Amino acid sequence: MPKIIPVVMCTGHGAGLWPIARETMPKQFIPLFGRDSTFQRTLRLLSDPGMFDLPIVVTNAEQRFTVADQLQAIGLRAEIVLEPAGHGAHSAAAIAAELGLARSEAALVGIFPADHVVQDGKLFVETCARAAAAAAQGRIVAIGIPPCHPATAYGYIRPGAEIAEGVRGVEDVAAKPDAALAARYLADGYLWNSGNVVFDAATMQMRLQAAARGAISNGKTNGASLGIRMLEADASADLPAIAAEPAVLEQADTAAVIAGHFGWSDVADWSAVWQLSEKGTHGNVVQGRGYVLDGANNLVRSEDAVVAVVGLDDIAVIATRDAILVTPKAKADKVKDVVALVAANHEPEAASHREIHRPWGKYLSVDLDERHQVKRITVKPNGVLSLQKHHHRAEHWVVVRGTAQVTRDDETILVHENEAIYLPIGCVHRMANPGKIPLEIIEVQVGSYLGEDDIIRIEDIYQRC
């Protein structure tokens, strides 16, 4: 039996975990439990060489370098495929079926979300093996989760007659229900639709439009030496919705479902984070600089400031550098609505963090006013910023750690710790880190306009021009 080609969906941002998760740093890249992000945990699950082939990670252009960095951090490899803007995960799954067939005519492909958590990794791999055995017979096999409560946030699958040991046909597929219908589904033996699917690529190919093949054949490599594949937007414009959608699973002759008892969560909100976290005294979960007095079953997470909770039970307090969320855990599913409210008022914190990651490193906005901004910039070893200029601002760079190689018009200057350099408005400049340790600088911008769209890129090794 061929190995499963894992396709890891890495395209959403997880508004339910705001303010930690935002568009500039989505949920799947955040360490919620321990040091690894959910993306890294998923890739570790899919690293069994006896069961899985080299994974394909489907993401967008904004997150491609974060994917590469997080893979490198855990010492794993994957093929990175970028979807054009405006196309969702379903079209990526269609492309993945074609990519699987490009590797082998007998390819088995698995669709795995990047932001879910599995508690028993060994049992997860065993479940995938049973799903693969059924998929090798030309089936599309969904992995369903035995429900523990009548959830309204998931789709449902009703298992039918047994096809093989532990594998059943699909009798019914239902969209997200209301509370009463969810209770009925629970009583009738339905499973939650987890979004994990294993299928025979040739079977799936018959349901795909020719646009998927065109999108792949017209793709181009991007992202310097990272081996990132960029798909052409025109060729993928008409890709169909597939994977675990009812239209596919309702095909009784090819669809199947297998129950996954490995401990699964989509970690949709802060209540789920509390449930999955190791509890301290009185059931409290404290991450970062948090304190609880006379309270029980709380979740307190702080990135920076000290957060103290007194005399409260069953709440979540999430504090970042620029936003604070306070909610009863029972209302945690309303956080998405709060994000929409914040966004409607044009607050940048709805989508963006003050710390922004770039392929060369990251920067943190420390202070911002009408005519000045102060940033703390970190450049990875061998990282190189784009060659650029600005029409509206000058910049002062002070090196606080490492050595900066600075291009300023026709000059190339080494700037060491506790040294500074001035970049006047309009000069062509670039910064690089030629050293072996991270380069840290303080940048002071002064000018009439400080927006990021005043960066005029001339050259860029990361092909962002």
Side-chain angles (χ1 to χ4, degrees):
M1 185 177 69
K3 298 179 183 179
I4 298 172
I5 300 172
V7 179
V8 180
M9 299 313 217
C10 206
T11 52
H13 72 272
L17 294 185
W18 185 87
I20 299 293
R22 307 185 201 180
E23 291 180 15
T24 57
M25 182 51 65
K27 159 189 168 185
Q28 57 265 24
F29 300 125
I30 298 169
L32 295 171
F33 316 100
R35 297 181 61 181
D36 285 352
S37 67
T38 57
F39 168 72
Q40 290 171 316
R41 289 171 63 118
T42 299
L43 267 292
R44 288 190 191 278
L45 280 176
L46 302 173
S47 63
D48 184 334
M51 178 56 58
F52 300 107
D53 203 346
L54 181 72
I56 299 169
V57 177
V58 180
T59 188
N60 56 50
E62 290 298 316
Q63 306 302 333
R64 64 196 188 277
F65 298 109
T66 302
V67 167
D69 285 347
Q70 293 213 348
L71 285 168
Q72 184 180 37
I74 59 174
L76 294 178
R77 295 172 53 248
E79 181 180 356
I80 302 174
V81 175
L82 307 185
E83 279 201 305
H87 296 278
H90 301 139
S91 62
I95 292 169
E98 295 293 334
L99 285 169
L101 288 170
R103 293 190 188 178
S104 169
E105 293 181 356
L108 299 180
V109 176
I111 305 296
F112 303 103
D115 57 352
H116 295 183
V117 167
V118 166
Q119 294 176 302
D120 189 330
K122 181 179 179 182
L123 189 53
F124 172 81
V125 173
E126 291 174 358
T127 303
C128 289
R130 293 200 300 274
Q137 304 302 313
R139 294 189 176 276
I140 298 169
V141 185
I143 298 178
I145 306 299
C148 56
H149 65 278
T152 59
Y154 310 133
Y156 283 75
I157 303 171
R158 184 172 188 170
E162 188 172 62
I163 297 170
E165 184 178 357
V167 182
R168 295 184 175 274
V170 172
E171 188 172 305
D172 185 29
V173 179
K176 298 176 183 179
D178 58 25
L181 193 54
R184 198 186 85 188
Y185 289 159
L186 190 66
D188 289 346
Y190 281 69
L191 303 173
W192 286 338
N193 188 346
S194 71
N196 295 276
V197 188
V198 180
F199 56 84
D200 171 65
T203 299
M204 185 65 77
Q205 184 190 47
M206 293 187 296
R207 304 188 56 80
L208 305 180
Q209 300 174 11
R213 289 187 294 276
I216 291 168
S217 62
N218 292 332
K220 58 185 178 182
T221 300
N222 198 1
S225 61
L226 297 176
I228 298 170
R229 179 174 295 191
M230 180 77 77
L231 302 176
E232 295 290 351
D234 291 344
S236 59
D238 297 322
L239 292 172
I242 64 158
E245 292 299 292
V248 173
L249 295 180
E250 285 172 357
Q251 301 301 312
D253 58 337
T254 60
V257 63
I258 185 169
H261 298 274
F262 38 74
W264 169 89
S265 174
D266 66 348
V267 203
D269 57 36
W270 289 112
S271 178
V273 173
W274 176 82
Q275 290 171 353
L276 292 168
S277 298
E278 184 176 349
K279 311 298 188 295
T281 305
H282 304 301
N284 292 307
V285 175
V286 177
Q287 301 171 341
R289 303 175 70 193
Y291 298 87
V292 179
L293 179 66
D294 296 334
N297 301 321
N298 297 300
L299 170 63
V300 181
R301 178 174 177 136
S302 176
E303 289 186 345
D304 193 15
V306 172
V307 174
V309 175
V310 180
L312 296 174
D313 300 333
D314 298 305
I315 67 167
V317 181
I318 313 299
T320 68
R321 293 184 178 97
D322 58 352
I324 300 171
L325 170 71
V326 181
T327 179
K329 298 205 311 290
K331 297 286 187 179
D333 61 340
K334 300 292 185 182
V335 170
K336 293 181 180 179
D337 299 332
V338 170
V339 176
L341 180 64
V342 174
N345 205 36
H346 306 291
E347 301 282 6
E349 290 81 2
S352 300
H353 283 282
R354 284 171 54 190
E355 184 173 84
I356 301 296
H357 290 254
R358 291 288 185 256
W360 43 261
K362 61 184 179 180
Y363 69 83
L364 172 66
S365 180
V366 178
D367 185 35
L368 175 63
D369 209 336
E370 184 177 351
R371 289 191 56 85
H372 80 271
Q373 179 170 205
V374 180
K375 290 182 178 179
R376 186 169 72 219
I377 298 176
T378 303
V379 185
K380 297 180 291 188
N382 299 315
V384 182
L385 280 69
S386 61
L387 187 68
Q388 59 186 248
K389 64 181 180 179
H390 313 293
H391 293 311
H392 302 287
R393 72 176 187 243
E395 295 177 344
H396 303 257
W397 292 348
V398 180
V399 176
V400 296
R401 184 186 187 203
T403 298
Q405 184 182 63
V406 179
T407 298
R408 183 176 61 185
D409 290 329
D410 296 330
E411 302 176 274
T412 299
I413 307 161
L414 289 179
V415 185
H416 303 282
E417 289 185 11
N418 204 32
E419 296 179 347
I421 189 169
Y422 172 62
L423 305 165
I425 293 176
C427 80
V428 175
H429 60 279
R430 171 158 43 199
M431 173 170 44
N433 179 4
K436 298 183 181 298
I437 63 173
L439 165 66
E440 296 181 8
I441 75 165
I442 300 298
E443 176 183 271
V444 180
Q445 304 173 358
V446 179
S448 58
Y449 179 73
L450 306 173
E452 290 296 300
D453 55 354
D454 187 34
I455 298 176
I456 312 302
R457 289 193 176 99
I458 300 166
E459 294 177 3
D460 182 42
I461 68 169
Y462 308 105
Q463 301 180 20
R464 295 172 298 161
C465 294

